[in-house]
Amino acid sequence: TTTSSSTSTIDAIKESATANAATFDSQYGDTRTSANRIHRKSRSPVVAHAVSRQRTVPAELNITPPPYAETGVVVPGLFPNRVLLHDEASINRMRTAAKLARKVLDMACNSAKEGITTDAIDGAVHSAILRAGAYPSPLNYSGFPKSVCSSINEVICHGIPDARSLENGD
């Protein structure tokens, strides 16, 4: 009974997701093929736009940078097969970081409106993090040039903010 219950729950989730996708598609005039490829009627293909220079973290802010900040090289953990147990002070620092991350994520999401560029959102995120006395962790992580990843719909992941204005449906 547990297996059939799990299967029916999964089937219900799939049906709901399919219905939600169909509603979204019809709202934007898109259609899906049997291979589940989306054909966009109302949008032009995504093309590369100008990327501004990498933002910096001014030394006078006295923000402690991560080890990769200068070179972009991420060094693997020293003890990859060990579990790190945190003390109360470390846990409190993680809580503080998580609260800042939530606040900045909310600000970034609220900024994502039709007509704004992802580069402008990156600038706002970068400034907010610096004002909080923190380092924007994506900045120069493995060479990533920005303070936020901003993938629009057709970009799978790790989109680099650029001069492209957001469109309806992004």
Side-chain angles (χ1 to χ4, degrees):
T1 356
T2 304
T3 304
S4 65
S5 173
S6 297
T7 303
S8 64
T9 301
I10 291 170
D11 290 342
I13 291 169
K14 285 180 183 177
E15 280 182 38
S16 175
T18 301
N20 288 340
T23 301
F24 180 86
D25 291 345
S26 66
Q27 181 180 355
Y28 293 103
D30 303 331
T31 57
R32 291 177 190 258
T33 65
S34 58
N36 216 21
R37 290 194 177 98
I38 299 173
H39 297 281
R40 303 233 181 260
K41 291 181 182 174
S42 59
R43 298 166 49 112
S44 49
V46 175
V47 295
H49 283 69
V51 175
S52 65
R53 64 180 182 77
Q54 184 170 322
R55 290 180 170 80
T56 60
V57 177
E60 61 269 14
L61 294 179
N62 293 318
I63 294 172
T64 304
Y68 58 82
E70 192 173 316
T71 65
V73 176
V74 179
V75 179
L78 296 175
F79 305 104
N81 297 323
R82 293 190 184 166
V83 174
L84 178 61
L85 298 178
H86 292 275
D87 60 16
E88 195 61 36
S90 179
I91 291 170
N92 285 333
R93 287 191 301 273
M94 286 189 281
R95 281 190 184 110
T96 300
K99 287 176 186 175
L100 175 61
R102 174 81 262 169
K103 182 179 175 182
V104 173
L105 177 61
D106 289 344
M107 184 266 310
C109 289
N110 288 328
S111 299
K113 296 187 182 345
E114 190 173 350
I116 192 169
T117 66
T118 52
D119 190 56
I121 295 170
D122 179 73
V125 165
H126 184 85
S127 295
I129 293 170
L130 295 185
R131 279 193 310 274
Y135 184 91
S137 61
L139 186 61
N140 210 26
Y141 184 90
S142 291
F144 190 80
K146 298 294 180 175
S147 297
V148 69
C149 296
S150 58
S151 300
I152 59 165
N153 294 339
E154 290 83 356
V155 179
I156 295 174
C157 64
H158 305 301
I160 296 173
D162 62 21
R164 178 190 178 277
S165 294
L166 293 177
E167 298 175 14
N168 186 8
D170 280 338

